[in-house]
Amino acid sequence: NQKLSAIGNARATRGKDAIAAQTLTAFFEKGPQGDNKLKKLTATGGVVITTPTETLTGASGVYDAATNVAMI
């Protein structure tokens, strides 16, 4: 497993959905062909999750790539 962190006004998008925070940490696992596949994304500090129909805010959040669900 590998992880990657973005610190300071970090932002990640998938399609029309986005998550922004002071710190984003992405956790990856090896896919069937040996490629890196996103497992989850954690967000801390001024978290804002936006979709075409809603905006959520909070102190921390987690995005689960397998279920395509984000929680504050």
Side-chain angles (χ1 to χ4, degrees):
N1 292 341
Q2 298 178 351
K3 74 177 184 176
L4 174 71
S5 294
I7 300 169
N9 199 25
R11 181 177 174 85
T13 60
R14 185 174 203 177
K16 295 183 179 182
D17 301 337
I19 185 168
Q22 187 62 30
T23 302
L24 292 178
T25 303
F27 296 85
F28 298 91
E29 60 188 359
K30 289 289 182 188
Q33 278 88 32
D35 55 338
N36 288 326
K37 182 177 177 184
L38 180 65
K39 182 176 181 180
K40 74 175 178 177
L41 184 71
T42 60
T44 56
V47 179
V48 179
I49 297 173
T50 55
T51 72
T53 59
E54 59 191 352
T55 299
L56 305 169
T57 60
S60 64
V62 176
Y63 168 73
D64 184 325
T67 61
N68 198 33
V69 172
M71 296 182 291
I72 293 284

